[in-house]
Amino acid sequence: MSRLSPEPREIYRIDWLPGTDVLHGTCHCGAEHCAQDPVEMWEWMLGHPEGHQPRGNSS
């Protein structure tokens, strides 16, 4: 039987935009990125915080 971890987990979400070759990714920090290459998308995701600007942050 597995035991649930009490620590919060990072959640990464990647959606495919139907009718295109575009992937839309959302990092656990709220930053968003689009790419056609799945490897590029995962490198961006796992490179957090480099290149990540959460939504609503205008700097």
Side-chain angles (χ1 to χ4, degrees):
M1 181 164 230
S2 67
R3 185 173 167 213
L4 295 177
S5 173
E7 295 126 25
R9 300 181 77 168
E10 295 174 349
I11 297 175
Y12 301 91
R13 180 182 180 117
I14 298 178
D15 298 307
W16 166 64
L17 301 177
T20 71
D21 292 334
V22 177
L23 299 170
H24 176 261
T26 306
C27 182
H28 62 89
C29 71
E32 297 182 16
H33 180 72
C34 288
Q36 290 186 354
D37 180 10
V39 173
E40 176 188 339
M41 179 60 73
W42 277 111
E43 286 175 346
W44 177 82
M45 287 276 190
L46 299 175
H48 175 87
E50 251 180 68
H52 291 230
Q53 286 288 357
R55 286 179 293 193
N57 187 351
S58 58
S59 51

